[in-house]
């Protein structure tokens, strides 16, 4: 096997056999299986659904679930590595062929990869580590009418509740701002937006 | 907030024994700024300078505290309004001096009252930086800009007294989060202008 694009490590022995088995599927069966796979890749949280769909596929096509799961594991190696390395559909096709999948199926899979890769890339970026991510912001503002020290006040206050994700927990942070602080905060945030936009 | 009491004005006349006008001025400022609990020690410090007993010093300090706080509470800004507070037989010169001192300090005292009023933790400073994420364990090569925002937040001044506790919170915002936040802030700005223009 030549150099692969999606990984630098040696591929497990079983993969060749799995590809050989895949080649036995009809074009229609392969297309259905590919659809199930990409649906899972674009919604990785739907594990239950994925397993159900795999099981249905196995029953409908009279394949045992155990071997099917192994085949699926082998197939998934490629898109996972491809995502990490930003591979093109050409490279994905070449890798499948190198692994032993026939040209027709490799091309088909590579096409599906091209269609789905923007969504998959966005997902992968979204999974990237974020420190104390800001999840939500609630606000209220009003007028202080009076206090125990001042009978009539009439000053404006702004209160923000920031919901921050610390590790796996959400923490609420409450802050009060004066009006000048608010305008200054708004101004700074607009500068950040300009900066972020210039780098996008 | 303390209310003016009967015996307060009698106690204020002790100021006639003060060595100078500046001493009176100084004492007024200290009495206003002091919390009720700290008036005792203040009286002990002030007593010797006025050559009065400890008890009289306490009455005086308490009376001055009540008077200055009362004027600030009511928001009195005119000399006539302050002079009205004093009883008929109060020493004329002392009354004028106290009124003058109060008028000199009233806006500074008002600001002091406002900054030390109870509130949620306050924003004291804000810093930001924009990073570009170039690589991670889930994607080897990317160019994703992200914003790090640090807010310095001070706990309620009343709880901390002279040693405010400032905590720093650093958080990360994606471009989408920032856009949503700006939308919210923009809405606040619009509502503020609508209120201001009414």
């Amino acid at each position: 096997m030549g150099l692969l694009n999606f990984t630098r490590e040696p591929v497990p022995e079983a993969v060749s056999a799995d590809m050989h088995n895949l080649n036995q599927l009809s074009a229609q069966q392969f297309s259905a299986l590919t659809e199930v796979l990409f649906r899972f890749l674009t919604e990785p949280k739907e594990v239950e659904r994925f397993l159900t769909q795999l099981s249905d596929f196995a029953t409908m096509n009279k394949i045992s679930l155990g071997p099917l799961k192994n085949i699926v594991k082998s197939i998934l190696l490629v898109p996972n590595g491809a995502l990490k390395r930003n591979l093109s559909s050409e490279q994905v096709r070449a890798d499948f062929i190198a692994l032993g999948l026939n040209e027709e199926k490799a091309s088909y899979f590579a096409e599906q990869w091209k269609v789905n890769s923007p969504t998959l890339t966005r997902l992968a970026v979204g999974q990237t580590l974020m420190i104390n991510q800001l999840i939500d912001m609630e606000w209220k503002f009003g007028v202080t009418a009076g206090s125990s020290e001042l009978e009539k006040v009439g000053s404006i206050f702004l209160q923000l509740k920031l919901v921050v994700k610390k590790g796996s927990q959400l923490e609420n942070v409450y802050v009060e701002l004066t009006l000048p602080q608010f305008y200054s905060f708004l101004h700074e945030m607009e500068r950040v937006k300009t900066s972020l936009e210039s780098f996008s | 907030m303390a209310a003016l009491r009967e015996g307060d004005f009698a106690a204020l006349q002790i100021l006639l024994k003060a060595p100078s006008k500046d001493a009176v001025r100084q004492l007024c400022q200290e009495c206003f700024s002091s919390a009720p609990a700290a008036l005792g020690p203040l009286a002990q410090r002030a007593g010797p300078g006025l050559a009065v007993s400890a008890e009289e010093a306490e009455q005086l300090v308490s009376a001055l505290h009540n008077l200055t706080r009362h004027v600030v509470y009511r928001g009195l800004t005119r000399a006539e309004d302050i002079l009205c507070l004093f009883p008929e037989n109060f020493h004329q010169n002392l009354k004028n001096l106290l009124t003058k001192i109060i008028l000199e300090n009233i806006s500074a005292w008002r600001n002091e009252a406002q900054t030390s009023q109870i509130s949620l933790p306050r924003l004291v400073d804000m810093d930001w930086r924009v990073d570009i994420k170039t690589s991670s364990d889930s994607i080897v090569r990317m160019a994703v800009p992200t914003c790090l925002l640090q807010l310095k937040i001070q706990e309620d001044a009343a709880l901390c007294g002279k040693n405010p506790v400032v905590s720093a919170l650093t958080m990360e915002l994606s471009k989408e989060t920032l856009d949503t936040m700006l939308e919210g802030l923009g809405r606040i700005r619009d509502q503020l202008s609508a209120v201001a223009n009414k």
Side-chain angles (χ1 to χ4, degrees):
Chain A
M1 205 174 299
L3 228 50
L4 290 166
N5 295 310
F6 77 91
T7 180
R8 285 203 195 109
E9 286 165 13
V11 167
E13 291 277 324
V15 175
S16 302
D18 289 329
M19 291 295 145
H20 178 72
N21 287 335
L22 261 184
N23 284 333
Q24 310 303 320
L25 291 179
S26 73
Q28 210 177 5
Q29 287 171 320
F30 185 73
S31 150
L33 184 61
T34 310
E35 200 185 310
V36 169
L37 287 177
F38 274 104
R39 210 173 295 157
F40 172 59
L41 284 174
T42 50
E43 290 173 307
K45 294 213 172 93
E46 301 286 339
V47 181
E48 281 296 319
R49 189 185 69 184
F50 174 55
L51 292 173
T52 314
Q53 287 177 338
L54 268 188
S55 162
D56 290 343
F57 181 85
T59 320
M60 265 202 314
N61 295 287
K62 304 202 178 28
I63 308 173
S64 338
L65 191 54
L68 179 63
K69 281 191 182 168
N70 288 334
I71 293 176
V72 162
K73 236 175 29 184
S74 294
I75 303 178
L76 284 177
L77 286 175
V78 181
N80 285 336
L83 192 57
K84 209 163 161 175
R85 290 176 157 73
N86 299 337
L87 296 184
S88 67
S89 62
E90 261 310 303
Q91 289 169 308
V92 169
R93 181 174 164 278
D95 276 355
F96 269 118
I97 293 177
L99 288 175
L101 193 61
N102 67 34
E103 257 196 56
E104 193 197 320
K105 293 190 166 72
S107 300
Y108 180 77
F109 196 94
E111 258 312 300
Q112 294 307 305
W113 167 258
K114 196 165 168 181
V115 166
N116 283 291
S117 66
T119 314
L120 291 173
T121 313
R122 231 191 331 260
L123 260 179
V125 169
Q127 275 168 10
T128 308
L129 186 65
M130 276 198 107
I131 314 287
N132 291 351
Q133 186 182 7
L134 179 65
I135 307 285
D136 194 20
M137 177 179 93
E138 289 176 34
W139 50 266
K140 76 171 172 214
F141 72 86
V143 175
T144 305
S147 74
S148 52
E149 302 307 313
L150 295 163
E151 197 178 24
K152 292 199 189 72
V153 182
S155 59
I156 298 182
F157 66 83
L158 173 70
Q159 285 171 354
L160 291 180
K161 171 181 159 191
L162 303 166
V163 183
V164 174
K165 191 164 182 197
K166 286 197 166 177
S168 51
Q169 284 174 316
L170 293 182
E171 185 180 305
N172 297 332
V173 179
Y174 298 92
V175 194
E176 192 166 310
L177 286 76
T178 63
L179 214 50
Q181 281 178 323
F182 165 70
Y183 283 114
S184 158
F185 185 65
L186 177 57
H187 178 68
E188 289 302 311
M189 289 292 101
E190 285 180 340
R191 284 175 74 198
V192 178
K193 178 175 168 147
T194 313
S195 179
L196 282 180
E197 278 178 348
S198 72
F199 287 116
S200 301
Chain B
M1 199 277 303
L4 284 174
R5 299 164 309 189
E6 280 294 324
D8 281 345
F9 288 104
L12 284 176
Q13 311 240 51
I14 300 173
L15 283 172
L16 292 167
K17 296 196 190 160
S20 68
K21 288 191 182 162
D22 280 334
V24 175
R25 187 168 282 125
Q26 175 80 1
L27 195 60
C28 284
Q29 283 168 344
E30 284 178 358
C31 288
F32 174 80
S33 300
S34 169
L39 287 176
L42 178 58
Q44 282 172 355
R45 286 198 305 276
L50 295 164
V52 291
S53 69
E55 201 190 312
E56 286 181 309
E58 271 192 42
Q59 284 170 349
L60 168 62
V61 153
S62 178
L64 258 184
H65 174 85
N66 289 346
L67 174 65
T68 50
R69 289 273 171 122
H70 180 83
V71 173
V72 170
Y73 178 75
R74 296 283 311 284
L76 304 176
T77 47
R78 297 182 317 163
E80 305 86 74
D81 296 329
I82 302 176
L83 290 167
C84 278
L85 295 172
F86 293 85
E88 283 283 324
N89 57 357
F90 198 84
H91 190 283
Q92 197 59 12
N93 287 348
L94 182 58
K95 181 168 73 174
N96 291 336
L97 175 64
L98 282 174
T99 304
K100 180 162 167 258
I101 293 173
I102 290 173
L103 283 175
E104 277 168 10
N105 287 292
I106 195 85
S107 52
W109 284 344
R110 209 185 145 80
N111 282 342
E112 198 179 312
Q114 249 183 299
T115 44
S116 59
Q117 79 190 0
I118 56 170
S119 75
L120 286 182
R122 293 199 193 146
L123 182 69
V124 287
D125 197 12
M126 170 215 156
D127 286 310
W128 58 266
R129 91 175 188 212
V130 166
D131 286 345
I132 313 274
K133 297 192 209 191
T134 52
S135 179
S136 81
D137 59 334
S138 50
I139 284 203
V140 163
R141 207 180 63 241
M142 58 178 166
V144 177
T146 185
C147 168
L148 282 176
L149 179 63
Q150 184 184 76
L151 299 176
K152 292 223 179 73
I153 298 172
Q154 182 184 65
E155 291 303 314
D156 192 352
L159 288 174
C160 304
K162 293 268 176 288
N163 303 324
V165 175
V166 178
S167 58
L169 170 69
T170 307
M171 44 190 163
E172 192 170 335
L173 285 74
S174 66
K175 189 165 177 308
E176 292 74 34
T177 313
L178 179 71
D179 287 340
T180 312
M181 183 196 237
L182 271 174
E183 216 184 311
L185 293 178
R187 251 180 279 148
I188 299 176
R189 183 193 47 207
D190 295 339
Q191 289 195 19
L192 283 171
S193 338
V195 165
N197 290 336
K198 274 214 185 95

